[in-house]
Amino acid sequence: MADWSSVQPRVETQAASFADEHADGRGILVAILDTGVDPGAAGLQVTTDGQPKIVNIIDCTGSGDVDTSTVVEATTADDGTKTITGLTGRTISLNPAWVNPENKWRVGVKRGYELYPNPLVNRMKKERKKVWDAKQHEIEVALKKAEADAKDSKAAAGVTKDLKQRLDLLASSGKEYDDPGPVFDCILWNDGAKWCVCVCVNDDELVCVEGASTHTPVDLTEAPFLTEYLVDRQYASFGEDENLNYSVSVHSDGDVLSICADAGAHGTHVAGIVAAHHPDNPSHNGVAPGAQILSLKIGDSRLGSMESGVGLTRALIEAVKHGADLINMSYGEAVCIMNSGRFKELADEVVHKHGIIFVASAGNNGPALSTVGAPGGSSTALISVAAMVLPSMMTTQYSVVQNSPLSSPLQHTDGLTYTWSSVGPSTDGERGVSLMAPGGAISPVPNWTLNKGQLMNGTSMSSPNACGTIALLLSKLKAEKLAYTVPRVRRAVENACKYVDAIHPLSQGSGLIQVADAYEHFLKHTAEAFQDVRFDVEVPSAFAGPRGRGVYLRQAKETNSVTSHSVTITPGFHEDTPNKIKADFQVPLRLVSSAPEWVTCPSKLLLMHGARGFTIVIDPTNLPPSTCTCETVTAYLDAEGSDPTDNSDPLFIVPVNVVKPAAPPSPTITTAVPELRPGATHRQFITPPPGTTWVEFTIRDLRTPVPVEEKDEDGTADANALAAKVKALAAEVDRLGAAGPYADLSGGSGDVAGQLVVLHCLQLLPNTPYRDQELQQYLRVRPGSTHKLQMALEPALTLEVTMAQFWSTQGNASVEMTVDFRGVTPYPTTLSLVGNHSPVLPVTLHATLRDEEVKPSASLSRWWRQLAPNADANAIKPLGARDVLPWNEKQCYELVLEYTYECEDKGEEITVRAPLLQGILYESPYEAQLTMIYDGKKKLLGVTDSWPDAVKLPNKGAHTVRIQVRHDSLDQLTRLAKMPIWIDRAAKGGSVSVPVFTNKPDAAAAKGGGLHRFLPHGSACGMAVGEPAYDKLPKGCKQGDVLVGSVTYGKNDRPKGWRVEYVVPCAPPADPKPATPAAEAKAEGEEKTEMMKLDEAARDLRVKALATLSAGGTAKDADWAELHAMLSKDWPDHLPLAKAKLARMDREATRKDSLAEVVAAADAIIDLVDTPELAAFFGLKAVPLDDPDPAAAKLRKEKDELKEALVDALARKARAMADMEASSSQAKDGAEEAKDGAEAPPPPPADGSATFDTSLYRLQQWEDGLKTPSNAPKYGRLVVENLTRKAQIGALLDYVTKALNENPKLDAALDTELRAVKVKVLGELGWAHIAENEKTWDIINKPKAFALF
């Protein structure tokens, strides 16, 4: 029988035999903190003893939350059918079998694409687009046929034009197609015993683009419902097309429904490694098939499955509440400070107080040193797991070629770590990697991937392999009723690991996990009570601060001298340990240095309950340069009768890591890298010379290129063939990823294949994550090829330069690397210009390394604006039951800050910057923070977290930024209550040039400009940077805005240059306008008396009061009438008073009851305007508004106000006439239905103006832009009425579409009317798929409230 056991590697860790002979994980609950686990995936249904495999499924992020605070009651029809109206507007018929004693139905709405993983969204969009395109093509063919028929029959021009407009609109809808996806009504109720949920999912996912309406009634009369997964282990699918399973849970007393669907395939794959059980195919079982799974989703679907602080905190809470034995977390990030932050504090509680063993991935950021991430490599409480690939995995999972004449990874008979597996030590000196486990598996994946299993590799896979292995150990201990603690188990596991000599110590930690040996170690030390005590190591250092966890010497000065280091060992007891046990605690220890010739330490330490300290002396002066050396000071039990030579079971270790850099003899050094074999790594450590600001690497393949035979005169055939091979290889890289394996495409003989190598260089800076100062580039080197790369540097800090050949490549690589240090050092390094305050900034440039060509250039490319929080929106509130810390019953609070940003340009992209909160996650002092950006209608546009992405704002106008911060301390949140943020966007109009001058006097005189010269080695020169001209700044800049960019000094300079920022000053004063005779002299007769001015002021105040009374509704009608009558008596011809009356009569709420009065009020205004005189005025060349003559400008303003009043009156009259005529027509139609032989409609009034058409005609005489879509807020209803009467369907659809697109801030009522017209017209045209798209977007674009955090 074929052996496929290595698809889930278990043999080399002793897991396979241990599961067969001892325990298979039964009785162990493993919490999977990941993207979520699919309950329908293969192998994740039951355990080996028939228990449910998945105990509970919880979305800890909140990304699946639905607001169900809206409560409705069902109405009962005559036939007994109960219906409710969902928040989508659909009528929903309920299942009569559903029990709801109170008839209280909670309703919510959720967009499908907010729940689906990104790969599934992409797949569904492609599938739905095919259906959409087919429907478009069908309609297009019909229209083209109709167009041809119209031409053949010589139809009227209007018919042909209308068909042409329809074709154009159809094509436009195809180009602008944006798939909204499905939108689900959600129903929640309580049957008296439990919560019940129904998500209204259409059986046919694609039906919505085939013409079914979002508002089509939903028939649930035979539909099932779901209960919470924890109650009945129920789950459902969103449909056959998606194949995405989901489950539900209910929170906040029913106000929140959580729909949990996984955010990616990662979590299911991880769960399968831990505990998949395939009864019919046991070779594919996970490591602990008898274990159960607790799925805790920390990958936020809104963030593309990135972990969020909310998810992390809630996951730890749920792990404790569910009584998990183990946690696996295959997530992580680089951090600026190790072993710190709120998450670390919470993880310590989970591990040390609740006894949950926490296993995490070390990271996939190698091969350079100190690339372990958080939380695995940064927190002492966690077991950090590196990824190893074994020969059996190479054969089974990766199909590596066997018996190849080229060098092969199979030559590593004991296995090797993956090239990308992160390497220790942590920056505070701890090992960073605890142990290794197999880092690849073909494991179950969610059903929506349309795959039963999938190969994935990473420390994301090694961590669950180790976690499953430990689950076997715990299962055995529980079965044997052997009490255990986290320190005891962890010590047994780490001390029993198999050390692999061929693998670097910092890559493997204690070695490859071995479960059987760990069990034997546990039994051997069962009687030793101190095994339940952890020993915390602290080693203060200049780099790590007072809480370092080991010795890490990396810089030239500290590795060229003898240093002493204080070590403090603190025993860690469970908080419930009785004081007597603490008082009696005493352990004699023997301290052993692994390198006594240069690492010396005391020989003995008597450890008691209180912390004890000792000193380590390190003399690295004789270590070879450009090397990394890893040693330890290890503590062993030194009790009476113990073997002083037995160094097999350490109680703790103090890591001693020394990186000794070499000082380069010149700024340029060339090194022939030793021949690289698959998986081989070559490291150099160099101290950049003083004055270095950047470095250039040149990598050249030393192998001889294969000669190419010329088969034609110009060689194009062979060149094309070679290019095709290169493209084929690139395609293979895209398809297979970095892991390969790849075919030899060179076509030559011998080892001349292209080899995949990685150049990984980094410097460690204090309080800076390694990713901010690294260069990592995978290269395909071929014989004779050359690659150039650059990296910014900080001078004097050790630079690691690591070259590694990818583990899976076949053959050897031989390369030469040139490291060229360069530098033009500026002072100051950051240029901060404050407009009108420091308009000129002197800069000194130094060339310390070599001659440099200086050619400064500076520009400002980003535009930052600071926003203060809205004063009325910074409340601190307690959260719900999901956010209570179970170890101390403390309630978590939320602070929600709200900001308003006015977007000035359609399509602008902004990045929200909250410097106090961003750039940190695991090391953050807060439990969580999340940022949401909304448009003016509360539509969610984007969600960002610790590392914000740009969010596109489709329309101009006010936008809202909401930030939630969480903590259980009110004091911590109160500190942030007035926190400002920055809006970062690209500088409008392109980058702003910053002028550069030779010196300050030239800058002051704006003389010359620019600088270009050679700067000799060891010399310096001066220059000056001036402030940009105000008229060159982005339009809309305000005082206090900051423009940010970069400056470079050398003709070739460091990547990204140096930071330059400019604080925008106040705007310069405008040039005074020249006085005119009309302004200097006024006729005495034109002056008004003071009494006249007072009367007019009082009148104007009363007219304004009319608007206030009108807004008060019918309750203020009597007051309005009284005031209006009083004003009319004294000012009968006052135009603003007539306008106030018209506005009153034409109120949207009551206008239909007073249409005649609207017409009369409009006529009153029209009669007040001398239209011939006004027409004569505008018929001449109108006086510009900015005419310097105040009298002329005043006249123009008066005439504009008259015209505006006239146009408004005509528009309102036309609309009223349309409504009156429609009412008359409806009355006539009703009379015709009531009796046979209807009478002819009454003739139009004798006054020819009293019709809609004549009123509209008069309006068009005064308003040229009547049909312009941008004027829809004023005339939209009139244009729609006119085009409807003329049956110009194509023109009507064109107008409404443009009106909606060009007026994103339309009045809500008008917006609703226009959208209804558009949907109706689309339906009449038979374009139901477009109508459905419009309706769905309408639901998404107009939420009733802000989204839940």
Side-chain angles (χ1 to χ4, degrees), residues 45 208 628 822 1170 1256:
Q45 282 68 55
C208 68
C628 170
R822 305 292 298 273
D1170 186 346
L1256 187 67

Side-chain angles (χ1 to χ4, degrees), residues 62 144-145 148 232 251 302 351 394 563 688 727 865 980 1025 1085 1302:
K144 293 297 285 183
K145 185 178 183 302
D232 294 315
H251 308 282
R302 298 166 295 188
V351 174
M394 299 177 196
T563 56
K727 288 181 179 179
R865 174 167 293 169
V1025 177
E1302 295 179 21

Side-chain angles (χ1 to χ4, degrees), residues 725-738 740-743 745 780:
K725 290 179 179 180
V726 171
K727 288 181 179 179
L729 181 60
E732 284 290 278
V733 173
D734 291 338
R735 184 176 69 86
L736 297 172
Y742 304 104
L745 301 178
R780 178 65 65 174

Side-chain angles (χ1 to χ4, degrees), residues 806-852:
F806 201 78
W807 74 270
S808 65
T809 53
Q810 304 272 322
N812 300 340
S814 180
V815 300
E816 178 185 80
M817 179 163 53
T818 298
V819 182
D820 194 11
F821 292 104
R822 305 292 298 273
V824 174
T825 306
Y827 180 81
T829 55
T830 297
L831 304 185
S832 296
L833 293 160
V834 180
N836 294 339
H837 180 268
S838 55
V840 179
L841 191 63
V843 181
T844 304
L845 305 179
H846 300 268
T848 309
L849 289 176
R850 62 175 82 213
D851 297 347
E852 292 285 0

Side-chain angles (χ1 to χ4, degrees), residues 79-147:
D79 62 357
T81 302
K82 290 186 176 181
T83 61
I84 60 173
T85 301
L87 292 189
T88 64
R90 291 183 285 194
T91 299
I92 303 171
S93 300
L94 304 175
N95 189 331
W98 292 350
V99 177
N100 187 347
E102 298 182 353
N103 194 27
K104 302 292 185 183
W105 305 87
R106 293 177 172 270
V107 292
V109 64
K110 191 69 172 178
R111 186 184 180 191
Y113 285 175
E114 293 177 356
L115 297 168
Y116 298 178
N118 286 343
L120 177 59
V121 172
N122 294 335
R123 173 165 69 82
M124 293 309 303
K125 284 187 174 182
K126 288 179 182 178
E127 293 179 8
R128 290 161 60 94
K129 184 65 162 62
K130 290 178 183 177
V131 179
W132 173 279
D133 289 343
K135 189 66 177 176
Q136 290 280 103
H137 181 69
E138 177 188 334
I139 297 172
E140 180 185 63
V141 170
L143 284 174
K144 293 297 285 183
K145 185 178 183 302
E147 186 180 47

Side-chain angles (χ1 to χ4, degrees), residues 1266-1320:
L1266 180 70
K1267 294 183 180 180
T1268 304
S1270 60
N1271 283 333
K1274 296 179 181 178
Y1275 313 120
R1277 293 182 175 94
L1278 300 179
V1279 176
V1280 167
E1281 179 71 19
N1282 184 46
L1283 294 175
T1284 302
R1285 290 184 176 212
K1286 294 180 179 179
Q1288 296 178 357
I1289 303 300
L1292 175 58
L1293 182 58
D1294 181 54
Y1295 174 79
V1296 173
T1297 300
K1298 290 178 179 177
L1300 289 169
N1301 289 340
E1302 295 179 21
N1303 298 280
K1305 298 171 69 176
L1306 273 179
D1307 167 76
L1310 177 58
D1311 183 88
T1312 299
E1313 288 179 35
L1314 293 182
R1315 291 189 186 280
V1317 168
K1318 184 175 183 180
V1319 170
K1320 180 182 177 182

Side-chain angles (χ1 to χ4, degrees), residues 179-456:
D179 180 13
V183 176
F184 304 128
D185 274 302
C186 304
I187 309 170
L188 169 67
W189 70 98
N190 195 296
D191 67 1
K194 60 185 179 298
W195 288 107
C196 307
V197 176
C198 183
V199 179
C200 299
V201 177
N202 201 312
D203 291 334
D204 181 1
E205 161 59 23
L206 298 181
V207 73
C208 68
V209 292
E210 293 176 330
S213 171
T214 304
H215 292 170
T216 300
V218 179
D219 184 3
L220 300 179
T221 53
E222 297 182 1
F225 63 84
L226 284 178
T227 59
E228 294 183 277
Y229 189 87
L230 183 62
V231 176
D232 294 315
R233 309 286 192 272
Q234 291 182 346
Y235 64 92
S237 170
F238 286 110
E240 291 184 5
D241 297 298
E242 294 94 333
N243 219 18
L244 173 65
N245 294 321
Y246 69 93
S247 60
V248 298
S249 58
V250 180
H251 308 282
S252 302
D253 297 324
D255 283 347
V256 176
L257 165 66
S258 175
I259 302 175
C260 187
D262 55 73
H266 193 270
T268 301
H269 194 275
V270 165
I273 294 173
V274 173
H277 173 48
H278 300 273
D280 299 328
N281 193 6
S283 64
H284 286 64
N285 279 352
V287 180
Q292 291 183 293
I293 294 297
L294 171 64
S295 173
L296 301 176
K297 179 181 172 182
I298 63 170
D300 197 310
S301 298
R302 298 166 295 188
L303 301 172
S305 81
M306 176 185 164
E307 74 269 47
S308 66
V310 176
L312 292 168
T313 302
R314 284 181 175 166
L316 296 183
I317 291 172
E318 295 297 339
V320 171
K321 288 166 67 173
H322 283 76
D325 300 286
L326 279 157
I327 289 174
N328 181 85
M329 182 172 162
S330 294
Y331 264 77
E333 303 283 347
V335 290
C336 59
I337 303 173
M338 292 285 177
N339 207 34
S340 67
R342 184 60 177 158
F343 180 81
K344 181 262 178 189
E345 295 172 359
L346 299 178
D348 283 351
E349 291 281 350
V350 168
V351 174
H352 301 323
K353 181 173 181 177
H354 294 279
I356 302 176
I357 298 173
F358 201 148
V359 186
S361 53
N364 301 328
N365 302 295
L369 302 184
S370 300
T371 48
V372 290
S378 69
S379 175
T380 306
L382 277 63
I383 298 174
S384 173
V385 187
M388 184 182 190
V389 58
L390 297 157
S392 61
M393 297 165 59
M394 299 177 196
T395 302
T396 305
Q397 296 181 23
Y398 298 97
S399 305
V400 171
V401 175
Q402 297 176 308
N403 303 317
S404 169
L406 301 177
S407 297
S408 167
L410 287 169
Q411 294 170 352
H412 296 272
T413 56
D414 290 330
L416 70 160
T417 53
Y418 288 90
T419 305
W420 35 254
S421 184
S422 288
V423 183
S426 62
T427 56
D428 63 356
E430 212 269 349
R431 290 189 304 172
V433 173
S434 305
L435 49 83
M436 294 184 300
I442 299 175
S443 186
V445 287
N447 294 349
W448 59 262
T449 66
L450 309 184
N451 286 304
K452 190 173 184 179
Q454 183 177 332
L455 170 62
M456 294 187 191

Side-chain angles (χ1 to χ4, degrees), residues 14 18 473 477 482 487-497 514-528 530-531 636 646-651:
Q14 303 174 341
F18 195 87
L473 175 59
L477 297 178
L482 294 171
R488 184 181 289 271
V489 171
R490 180 168 181 175
R491 201 167 286 123
V493 168
E494 294 185 3
N495 286 346
C497 285
Q514 304 287 294
V515 62
D517 293 345
Y519 179 59
E520 293 301 321
H521 183 285
F522 187 96
L523 294 179
K524 176 182 175 182
H525 298 279
T526 302
E528 297 171 354
F530 57 82
Q531 293 288 345
Y636 302 95
D646 181 7
N647 293 340
S648 60
D649 297 321
L651 291 178

